[in-house]
């Protein structure tokens, strides 16, 4: 069905006379809710797991569609986290693979080439007999406006209460001496301090959660 939808868009592009041009198609959102209101019987963790598992397999196959079998299509899963404050019905708030605190909503294989830990996320890690979600960090978006990122850095190292000595000139995380690099360290420390809720990594839209450990060399980013 997804391939058919993509090729329907391609057919429309051709019909408009742009078929001779390279127009890339990206699926910016696709997912399934794990919970819904009365009458939304298909919104279950089981169906969400089935859909997103197959969607991830499709996205990582590096295959095109019947119309363009050699053209890879980028697909973004919606969503990483549930959005408990989102307006609308219950299903609108429950598209996430994880809850806001990083715990899993349901098991799904997120094996990938870009993840740390050997390319596979391990769910249900046990600490003192309690299951918890995978490690998550918060970093600055690479293309976020530097002026805003500097304001976030000032907040984290000031009123935010983050110990920023590691990004001072003598610290292990001083290099590279870039605003985004320093802000990433401070933003992550603030994120970890305040419970790893998704809203603690917003920072005026400049923050990004990642499952890849951003630590490097002797610079260590705190995690759970």
């Amino acid at each position: 069905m997804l391939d058919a939808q993509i090729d329907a868009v391609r057919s429309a592009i051709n019909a408009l006379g742009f078929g001779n041009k390279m127009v890339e198609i990206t699926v910016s959102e696709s997912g399934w809710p794990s919970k819904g209101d009365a009458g939304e019987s298909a919104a279950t963790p089981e169906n969400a797991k089935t859909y997103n598992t197959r969607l991830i397999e499709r996205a990582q196959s590096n295959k095109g569609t019947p119309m363009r079998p050699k053209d890879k299509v980028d697909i973004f899963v919606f969503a990483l986290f549930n959005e408990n404050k989102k307006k609308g019905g219950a299903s609108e708030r429950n598209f996430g693979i994880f809850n806001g605190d990083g715990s899993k909503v349901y098991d799904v294989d997120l094996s990938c080439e870009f993840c740390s830990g050997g390319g596979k996320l391990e769910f249900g890690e046990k600490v003192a007999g309690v299951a918890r979600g995978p490690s998550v960090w918060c970093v600055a978006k690479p293309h976020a406006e530097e002026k805003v990122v500097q304001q976030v850095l000032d907040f984290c190292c000031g009123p935010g209460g983050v110990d920023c000595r590691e990004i001072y000139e003598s610290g292990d995380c001083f290099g590279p001496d870039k605003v985004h690099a320093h802000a990433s360290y401070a933003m992550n420390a603030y994120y970890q301090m305040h419970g790893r809720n998704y809203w603690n990594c917003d920072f005026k839209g400049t923050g990004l959660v990642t499952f890849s450990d951003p630590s490097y060399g002797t610079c260590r980013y705190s995690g759970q």
Side-chain angles (χ1 to χ4, degrees):
M1 181 64 74
L2 182 63
D3 284 352
Q5 290 175 324
I6 294 171
D7 279 346
V9 174
R10 294 195 193 283
S11 296
I13 292 173
N14 292 341
L16 290 171
F18 294 96
N20 62 334
K21 297 182 179 181
M22 177 55 70
V23 179
E24 294 186 4
I25 295 177
T26 297
V27 180
S28 59
E29 290 186 0
S30 187
W32 198 280
S34 61
K35 185 188 297 183
D37 292 317
E40 295 181 304
S41 58
T44 66
E46 293 76 18
N47 287 342
K49 175 181 178 179
T50 298
Y51 183 85
N52 281 325
T53 295
R54 293 177 180 176
L55 182 67
I56 292 168
E57 290 174 352
R58 172 65 182 84
Q60 293 187 345
S61 68
N62 291 323
K63 295 179 180 178
T65 62
M67 282 187 69
R68 296 277 186 86
K70 294 183 179 180
D71 291 356
K72 186 182 72 170
V73 178
D74 289 328
I75 300 173
F76 292 84
V77 178
F78 183 83
L80 185 60
F81 293 107
N82 280 336
E83 302 172 275
N84 63 308
K85 294 186 178 181
K86 188 174 184 179
K87 296 181 179 179
S91 60
E92 288 292 324
R93 296 186 289 275
N94 288 279
F95 272 83
I97 296 174
F98 299 102
N99 292 302
D101 61 2
S103 61
K104 61 184 178 180
V105 177
Y106 50 85
D107 286 309
V108 63
D109 184 2
L110 290 178
S111 300
C112 58
E113 297 178 359
F114 53 83
C115 294
S116 59
K120 186 176 181 64
L121 296 174
E122 298 296 338
F123 293 104
E125 185 180 356
K126 295 286 185 178
V127 178
V130 178
R132 67 181 184 184
S135 294
V136 186
W137 294 265
C138 175
V139 295
K141 291 180 179 178
H143 302 295
E145 186 179 349
E146 187 170 311
K147 180 180 179 180
V148 180
V149 174
Q150 181 65 60
Q151 292 173 352
V152 171
L153 175 59
D154 293 341
F155 164 76
C156 289
C157 295
V162 172
D163 181 355
C164 290
R165 286 176 292 182
E166 290 295 338
I167 56 176
Y168 294 164
E169 189 166 354
S170 59
D172 288 338
C173 300
F174 176 73
D177 184 14
K178 303 290 184 180
V179 172
H180 280 69
H182 291 177
S184 290
Y185 178 89
M187 291 161 70
N188 179 69
Y190 181 90
Y191 175 68
Q192 304 294 340
M193 283 170 54
H194 292 274
R196 299 164 59 243
N197 301 298
Y198 68 86
W199 56 85
N200 296 131
C201 187
D202 181 73
F203 296 110
K204 298 182 179 181
T206 64
L208 175 71
V209 294
T210 176
F211 291 109
S212 248
D213 186 350
S215 302
Y216 58 93
T218 57
C219 176
R220 311 309 300 172
Y221 277 60
S222 59
Q224 66 173 12

